[in-house]
Amino acid sequence: MNARAETGASKTDTLKLAAAVAILVAGLWGFYFFANFSLLLRVIVLLAIAAGAVAVALTTGPGRTLWRFASDSRMEVRRVVWPTRQETIQTTLVVMVMVLILGILLWLFDTLLMTILRLLTGHGG
């Protein structure tokens, strides 16, 4: 009996998601079909239809799971200790200096290898 209930719920969820997609597709079709109307009006109607499609999608099991994930993510972002402006600037400067140093070292290594290759192949002046 439990398996039937889960199957019924998943079929319902599938139908709701299909309805949400159908609503969104119909809204997009209407947006382009009524091209002779005001763009502002068409955008407002399209946004309203998209909001309706999202509302239908959020009533499904996966939609509720997605909403819970977004809420939990927002809560976690609030808990993060963000660096101060000074720490961010110092870290950025350290990264830039290290990239510059590494770039110079790679350039020197490449020049050395090219010089050795020219000497070995006899193409050097």
Side-chain angles (χ1 to χ4, degrees), residues 26-35 39 42-43 46:
L28 286 170
W29 177 83
F31 180 82
Y32 289 108
F33 183 76
F34 296 108
L39 178 64
R42 289 186 299 143
V43 168
L46 183 61

Side-chain angles (χ1 to χ4, degrees), residues 7-125:
T7 305
S10 67
K11 286 182 182 180
T12 305
D13 288 346
T14 304
L15 289 174
K16 286 181 182 178
L17 288 173
V21 169
I23 291 169
L24 193 58
V25 168
L28 286 170
W29 177 83
F31 180 82
Y32 289 108
F33 183 76
F34 296 108
N36 55 346
F37 285 91
S38 166
L39 178 64
L40 178 63
L41 178 65
R42 289 186 299 143
V43 168
I44 290 172
V45 170
L46 183 61
L47 288 175
I49 289 173
V54 168
V56 170
L58 287 177
T59 62
T60 65
R64 286 188 295 272
T65 302
L66 179 65
W67 184 259
R68 192 174 320 114
F69 174 75
S71 299
D72 292 345
S73 297
R74 188 171 180 209
M75 203 178 333
E76 286 296 323
V77 167
R78 288 183 191 161
R79 292 183 194 170
V80 172
V81 178
W82 297 101
T84 63
R85 181 177 175 87
Q86 182 181 4
E87 291 171 340
T88 304
I89 291 172
Q90 288 174 348
T91 304
T92 303
L93 288 175
V94 167
V95 168
M96 291 173 73
V97 168
M98 291 306 296
V99 166
L100 182 66
I101 291 171
L102 187 61
I104 292 170
L105 286 174
L106 288 173
W107 173 71
L108 289 173
F109 186 66
D110 182 52
T111 304
L112 177 69
L113 287 176
M114 186 58 74
T115 304
I116 292 171
L117 184 64
R118 284 184 180 160
L119 289 173
L120 289 174
T121 59
H123 289 314

